[in-house]
Amino acid sequence: MKTISKDSSVKPGRRARTAVVAVAAAVLSAASLLTAAPAMAAAPAAIKLTSASCPTEILQGQSSGCVTELQNLLNAHGAGLTVDGSFGAATLYAVRVYQSSVAIAVDGRVGPGTKVKLYATGGSAPSPITLTSAACPTEILQGNKSGCVTELQQLLRHFGYDVGVDGEFGAGTLAAVKSFQSANGLTADGRVGPGTKAELYNTDESGSTALDLRSAACPTTITEDQSGGCVLTLQALLNGQGQHVAVDGQFGAETFVAVQAFQTAHGLEPDGDVGPATKAALYTNISGGGGNGAPSPINLTSASCPNEIIKGQKSGCVTELQSLLNHHGADLAVDGDFGALTDSAVRDFQAEAGLTVDGRVGPGTKSALYGVVTPPATTPPGGGYARMLEVAEAEVGTVQGSARANSYGSAVGMSKSTNKYAWCATFVSWVAKQTGATTFNDTYVSGWVNKARAGQRHLSVTTDPQPGDIVAYDWNGGSDFTGGEEHIGIVRTVSGGSSFTAVEGNTKDDDGNGPYAVYIRHRTTASFYDVVFIRVR
């Protein structure tokens, strides 16, 4: 089997998504409660996930010893699942939470990558136990090891403290407890008694996590094939308006039909695209106009927002702030109330962005929040497929992790630094969006190939490549583009025979030198890897 080592200057084209938000968690946990049975059959005997007896991908709906093994492994990481060998809603949620925690694609599908991670990271934390339950002592102290400590550590992490979740109350957990107590006006003795427990659960921002569709955290128009927190909010709003769709963050056919039905019912053009008019209609009759009672979002740089947004404030400016923070990976309910969790999320963002960590959202923090989420200030050139190469070539030299490179994620709803995921397909999506060549976008190379092979979204496969076409590589060979070792770029020149050049993101130069960046690469169809050329028309 050929591996990426044969072209080590390109990272595999895997996707990292933002974590599944609590609105999905609420739906999933409710589903798990509703499906609870009065009698529990014995779970099938566990089967090692990497054995030939387990399918390549373990999915929701399956029941087997492979699922028993999966549930045991997830529980070792603190999931607290009932081990019954049945892959239901609770197991799906636990898989997604685990995938998010180890920075791999959050898709709920237990494929080779997730299996390897589950075994590699071990996991030995006892299942979490609610601190106020009779199963936990009145005071949890240093030296304790139990599910109560697992719960404590997870709560501390939710408040922004960097502690490991292993169920052991060690020095790191003690320091975090004392810091939390001090920050909340409690005696900083490191003893987790009734007062500290109550404060840990006193999350003024508990509830469903969301992104307000009208904020800058979401695209102006949300379309089919997009994914992420904005789609999760859309699906929850559709259900609140009488539709019935899965809240999974994937804008697929089911959501598209639901949007059309909603638009028809409200006298809007049923095009399935969620633009400003559809967003406004979705928020009709919701308390406060912002969903969950939140004030409607206000752009942070407008005259309506103060120069500094700080803890204790409640306004549409805070609604906007929380939506932006969630787009950057926070786990906040969007309620327009700047409480302890919002303060913690602001500080986390400031630290990651290299800003002064003070919890005060001033001009610098506002600029950074918008800097990664929105496209560059220049007006997209348009021009369709004829401008694809021109736009791509202008980006040559853009280095991974730079503000410019990070802005490419705006095309796919991705706010992570390009240092944290493989972004070759994101770059192609950005070029396509800038030119308007196609409305399709995907952070998976396979997504581009599959659409082209199906002749959808103005994409098709061609054997006569021209400058401006897209080129996809399968380093493993086999041309199935499913092994996670793929790459993609924009054709620059075709010299006849098997040689061509391409503009590619997420790669190094031809000699394998330099930082990951946008480069012009010399390629050939006569090599160990497979190549598919995609025409955009």
Side-chain angles (χ1 to χ4, degrees), residues 139-191:
E139 284 193 330
I140 304 170
L141 309 173
Q142 186 177 18
N144 290 170
K145 181 175 181 179
S146 68
C148 306
V149 180
T150 301
E151 174 82 349
L152 168 63
Q153 292 167 327
Q154 290 178 344
L155 288 167
L156 288 168
R157 287 186 66 85
H158 196 56
F159 278 95
Y161 294 94
D162 186 16
V163 296
V165 180
D166 57 8
E168 295 190 37
F169 197 139
T173 300
L174 177 67
V177 168
K178 287 183 176 180
S179 179
F180 173 81
Q181 290 171 324
S182 178
N184 288 276
L186 302 168
T187 301
D189 57 6
R191 305 170 72 90

Side-chain angles (χ1 to χ4, degrees), residues 298-389:
I298 302 171
N299 191 292
L300 302 186
T301 59
S302 75
S304 300
C305 290
N307 187 55
E308 282 195 329
I309 304 170
I310 58 176
K311 187 177 180 180
Q313 294 177 1
K314 184 171 184 177
S315 68
C317 305
V318 180
T319 302
E320 174 83 345
L321 169 63
Q322 291 167 326
S323 291
L324 289 166
L325 288 168
N326 281 347
H327 196 68
H328 287 281
D331 186 18
L332 300 172
V334 177
D335 60 2
D337 191 350
F338 197 139
L341 296 184
T342 299
D343 179 73
S344 176
V346 167
R347 292 173 186 270
D348 284 347
F349 174 78
Q350 290 172 326
E352 185 172 323
L355 303 168
T356 300
V357 181
D358 56 9
R360 307 173 73 88
V361 184
T365 301
K366 293 176 184 178
S367 177
L369 281 163
Y370 285 117
V372 181
V373 172
T374 58
T378 54
T379 302
Y385 68 86
R387 301 289 299 278
M388 290 274 287
L389 177 57

Side-chain angles (χ1 to χ4, degrees), residues 33-387:
L33 289 172
L34 289 171
T35 56
M40 184 68 66
I47 303 172
K48 190 175 178 69
L49 303 186
T50 53
S51 76
S53 299
C54 289
T56 303
E57 284 194 326
I58 304 171
L59 309 173
Q60 185 178 20
Q62 296 177 1
S63 296
S64 68
C66 305
V67 179
T68 302
E69 175 80 347
L70 169 64
Q71 291 169 328
N72 284 330
L73 288 166
L74 290 169
N75 282 347
H77 290 278
L81 296 169
T82 298
V83 179
D84 58 6
S86 179
F87 196 139
T91 301
L92 175 66
Y93 178 61
V95 168
R96 286 174 166 168
V97 169
Y98 173 75
Q99 288 171 327
S100 173
S101 72
V102 294
I104 58 178
V106 182
D107 57 9
R109 305 169 73 90
V110 184
T114 302
K115 293 176 184 179
V116 168
K117 281 286 187 180
L118 281 164
Y119 285 115
T121 52
S124 58
S127 298
I129 302 171
T130 303
L131 302 186
T132 54
S133 73
C136 289
T138 303
E139 284 193 330
I140 304 170
L141 309 173
Q142 186 177 18
N144 290 170
K145 181 175 181 179
S146 68
C148 306
V149 180
T150 301
E151 174 82 349
L152 168 63
Q153 292 167 327
Q154 290 178 344
L155 288 167
L156 288 168
R157 287 186 66 85
H158 196 56
F159 278 95
Y161 294 94
D162 186 16
V163 296
V165 180
D166 57 8
E168 295 190 37
F169 197 139
T173 300
L174 177 67
V177 168
K178 287 183 176 180
S179 179
F180 173 81
Q181 290 171 324
S182 178
N184 288 276
L186 302 168
T187 301
D189 57 6
R191 305 170 72 90
V192 185
T196 301
K197 292 177 184 179
E199 194 62 35
L200 283 163
Y201 284 116
N202 183 25
T203 56
D204 57 336
E205 295 146 21
S206 61
S208 63
T209 302
L211 295 171
D212 194 298
L213 301 186
R214 300 161 298 176
S215 77
C218 292
T220 303
T221 302
I222 305 170
T223 60
E224 190 177 14
D225 291 321
Q226 291 181 358
S227 62
C230 300
V231 179
L232 279 165
T233 299
L234 166 63
Q235 291 166 328
L237 288 170
L238 285 169
N239 287 343
Q241 296 280 2
Q243 301 298 316
H244 301 281
V245 298
V247 182
D248 59 5
Q250 303 296 315
F251 195 142
E254 181 187 45
T255 301
F256 183 82
V257 170
V259 169
Q260 287 183 312
F262 173 81
Q263 291 169 325
T264 299
H266 287 77
L268 301 169
E269 181 184 355
D271 57 7
D273 292 341
V274 183
T278 301
K279 291 177 183 179
L282 283 164
Y283 281 101
T284 300
N285 299 324
I286 295 179
S287 174
N292 301 319
S296 297
I298 302 171
N299 191 292
L300 302 186
T301 59
S302 75
S304 300
C305 290
N307 187 55
E308 282 195 329
I309 304 170
I310 58 176
K311 187 177 180 180
Q313 294 177 1
K314 184 171 184 177
S315 68
C317 305
V318 180
T319 302
E320 174 83 345
L321 169 63
Q322 291 167 326
S323 291
L324 289 166
L325 288 168
N326 281 347
H327 196 68
H328 287 281
D331 186 18
L332 300 172
V334 177
D335 60 2
D337 191 350
F338 197 139
L341 296 184
T342 299
D343 179 73
S344 176
V346 167
R347 292 173 186 270
D348 284 347
F349 174 78
Q350 290 172 326
E352 185 172 323
L355 303 168
T356 300
V357 181
D358 56 9
R360 307 173 73 88
V361 184
T365 301
K366 293 176 184 178
S367 177
L369 281 163
Y370 285 117
V372 181
V373 172
T374 58
T378 54
T379 302
Y385 68 86
R387 301 289 299 278

